[in-house]
Amino acid sequence: MPITTVLLPFLCLAIGIEVYIVKLCTAYLNLPMYYSCAIVDDEQHAIDVLHDYIEGIRFLKLFSAFNNPFDALKTISAGDKIDFLFLDIDMDGMKGTELSQHLRSKARFVIYASAHLENEVRNIDSSFECYLGKPISMKRFAGTIDKLIRLNNLPIKNENSL
């Protein structure tokens, strides 16, 4: 009796187990991919609007929101990596531009969300990636996220998510 005839049932069983393991791993690895977001704004209404917009895009997840820049400094640790950091400019105690200097190493992108004109903000801090003028529309928000993802060749799970 050839050895392949004897080993064939065991080989089929091993292949079946391997296929099952691959399917299980694939299901595990296909957990929804998301990008983390943080918001720092002293106006609760502005936080609520950005939070709703983040919830509206399935590959974004709110890491945390702060209505005080000092709380953001205390809470966001060196090990945290935030993809999109939304900062107001005018906040009590510390300007968003100053906070940006402290959190820059922890954020992939800094997006100022402010009622200031963009040119005014650029004169203060030219290192930010994007600017959202208040009041912020969902269309402008989604377009900004889309632009940053595409310009930086970042993967997204579903291109139709925006």
Side-chain angles (χ1 to χ4, degrees), residues 37-57:
C37 302
I39 304 167
V40 185
D41 198 313
D42 59 352
E43 296 176 14
Q44 188 60 47
H45 172 71
I47 291 173
D48 294 341
V49 167
L50 286 172
H51 179 253
D52 289 345
Y53 292 168
I54 290 166
E55 293 277 318
I57 298 177

Side-chain angles (χ1 to χ4, degrees), residues 17-138:
I17 291 171
E18 181 181 358
V19 169
Y20 177 76
I21 290 171
V22 168
K23 285 182 179 179
L24 190 63
C25 288
T26 302
Y28 179 76
L29 294 175
N30 278 335
L31 289 173
M33 185 179 86
Y34 65 87
Y35 292 103
S36 61
C37 302
I39 304 167
V40 185
D41 198 313
D42 59 352
E43 296 176 14
Q44 188 60 47
H45 172 71
I47 291 173
D48 294 341
V49 167
L50 286 172
H51 179 253
D52 289 345
Y53 292 168
I54 290 166
E55 293 277 318
I57 298 177
R58 77 180 81 156
F59 59 83
L60 297 182
K61 182 178 179 184
L62 185 62
F63 170 76
S64 54
F66 305 94
N67 58 9
N68 180 318
F70 298 105
D71 290 343
L73 276 176
K74 284 187 260 180
T75 304
I76 299 173
S77 69
D80 294 329
K81 189 64 178 171
I82 297 163
D83 295 300
F84 298 99
L85 176 61
F86 298 92
L87 295 177
D88 185 20
I89 300 287
D90 286 327
M91 294 183 284
D92 291 336
M94 182 185 298
K95 299 252 184 228
T97 52
E98 183 182 346
L99 181 61
S100 171
Q101 294 171 2
H102 296 289
L103 298 179
R104 165 70 54 197
S105 65
K106 298 169 184 82
R108 183 180 290 189
F109 304 111
V110 173
I111 302 169
Y112 286 122
S114 177
H116 281 279
L117 295 175
E118 185 173 0
N119 290 336
E120 292 175 18
V121 177
R122 287 217 182 270
N123 289 335
I124 299 168
D125 178 7
S126 61
S127 66
F128 68 96
E129 281 74 25
C130 282
Y131 167 85
L132 291 170
K134 288 180 180 177
I136 301 166
S137 71
M138 178 58 171

